[in-house]
Amino acid sequence: MRPDEEFVGHALVEFLGGASRVSVSDGGDPPDLYLHYGTSCIGVEVTRLSQLTFESDGRIGNRDTADIFGICILDDLDENVGRRLPDKIGLLIALFVPVQNARRFKNSLNKWVEEIVADPKKGFNEERKIEGSKVMVSVIEQQGIDRKIHGLVINKNSMTNISLNAQLLLEDRILAKDRICSRLSKPIWLALLNSYCLADADTYADASRHLKLNHCFERIFLVSEQGAVNELFIGA
């Protein structure tokens, strides 16, 4: 099992009464895991709820994909370029994602940051467009911090309507997993691991009341990143 599947499995075991009543084992992928509950062996498919983005062509995307790209760039810059900065000097970089061409964006940004690092002037603050995306770089003073390049990632395609995000997330994940699991032996449960920090159990419970979906799952559970479990009731 992957770490997130193992985490969800243990959370469900505790929710259902603990290890004295329920055990968990690897699944057939699909499903991701099995719960052994009384005389029943129940397949559980696990998926993650992450904030959606709305692309310029109308497609729905996963915000994590673009955000992780930006975070990795900042980490790479700190490791490979940041150590050349003088003591008590750092950079603050703001990246706007997604970008049009990831490879060209990374190469162009690296070249620009290396130019700044070669002669970092206090008070430097500049904005550029790289591969259609805005980037802002500032030279900052710092003390007692090992990291030299700091940053933030701003997603241009994120949507601020939390309730609608939650509703679309549920619909997207349930239907996608139904296509994978509909032919499996029943019963099958679905576990939704929530990494969309702006939506909690109440948000998803409210969103579920607006959904009417045909799916193969006998039960659907929401699992928080702290291990709390709530059941969602979504049917046709």
Side-chain angles (χ1 to χ4, degrees), residues 18-48:
S20 62
R21 299 185 60 193
V22 189
S23 63
V24 62
S25 65
D26 287 339
D29 196 24
D32 293 313
L33 58 92
Y34 291 111
L35 289 177
H36 306 276
Y37 185 46
T39 60
S40 300
C41 178
I42 301 164
V44 181
E45 184 71 2
V46 177
T47 190
R48 185 176 286 271

Side-chain angles (χ1 to χ4, degrees), residues 22-150:
V22 189
S23 63
V24 62
S25 65
D26 287 339
D29 196 24
D32 293 313
L33 58 92
Y34 291 111
L35 289 177
H36 306 276
Y37 185 46
T39 60
S40 300
C41 178
I42 301 164
V44 181
E45 184 71 2
V46 177
T47 190
R48 185 176 286 271
L49 299 174
S50 302
Q51 187 173 358
L52 299 173
T53 58
F54 294 85
E55 311 302 326
S56 57
D57 61 2
R59 290 181 298 111
I60 292 177
N62 187 321
R63 177 169 177 169
D64 282 354
T65 303
D67 287 3
I68 290 171
F69 167 75
I71 291 167
C72 288
I73 283 182
L74 293 170
D75 288 343
D76 287 345
L77 285 170
D78 182 61
E79 181 177 349
N80 299 316
V81 183
R83 304 309 166 187
R84 304 177 207 165
L85 285 163
D87 292 341
K88 300 182 180 179
I89 293 293
L91 296 184
L92 177 63
I93 302 176
L95 304 179
F96 289 73
V97 296
V99 303
Q100 294 174 358
N101 184 296
R103 182 181 58 82
R104 290 204 300 261
F105 177 87
K106 184 176 181 179
N107 290 340
S108 298
L109 178 62
N110 283 354
K111 183 178 179 181
W112 184 31
V113 171
E114 286 178 350
E115 292 171 357
I116 298 168
V117 167
D119 185 23
K121 294 181 172 61
K122 291 182 182 179
F124 175 89
N125 183 29
E126 189 173 313
E127 176 183 314
R128 286 187 183 181
K129 276 285 187 75
I130 300 177
E131 289 300 311
S133 293
K134 186 165 63 174
V135 178
M136 295 184 290
V137 180
S138 301
V139 176
I140 59 174
E141 295 186 57
Q142 65 175 51
Q143 293 188 49
I145 304 173
D146 289 335
R147 188 179 179 99
K148 302 291 284 184
I149 293 183
H150 314 271

Side-chain angles (χ1 to χ4, degrees), residues 5 8 62 80 95 114 155 172 177 179 206 215-216:
E5 295 166 356
V8 166
N62 187 321
N80 299 316
L95 304 179
E114 286 178 350
N155 197 301
D172 176 75
K177 289 300 182 178
R179 289 192 292 271
D206 182 65
H215 59 80
C216 65

Side-chain angles (χ1 to χ4, degrees), residues 174-195:
I174 292 169
L175 294 180
K177 289 300 182 178
D178 176 71
R179 289 192 292 271
I180 294 171
C181 298
S182 59
R183 297 181 182 180
L184 299 179
S185 298
K186 306 300 184 288
I188 296 288
W189 296 355
L190 179 64
L192 305 165
L193 180 58
N194 182 37
S195 60

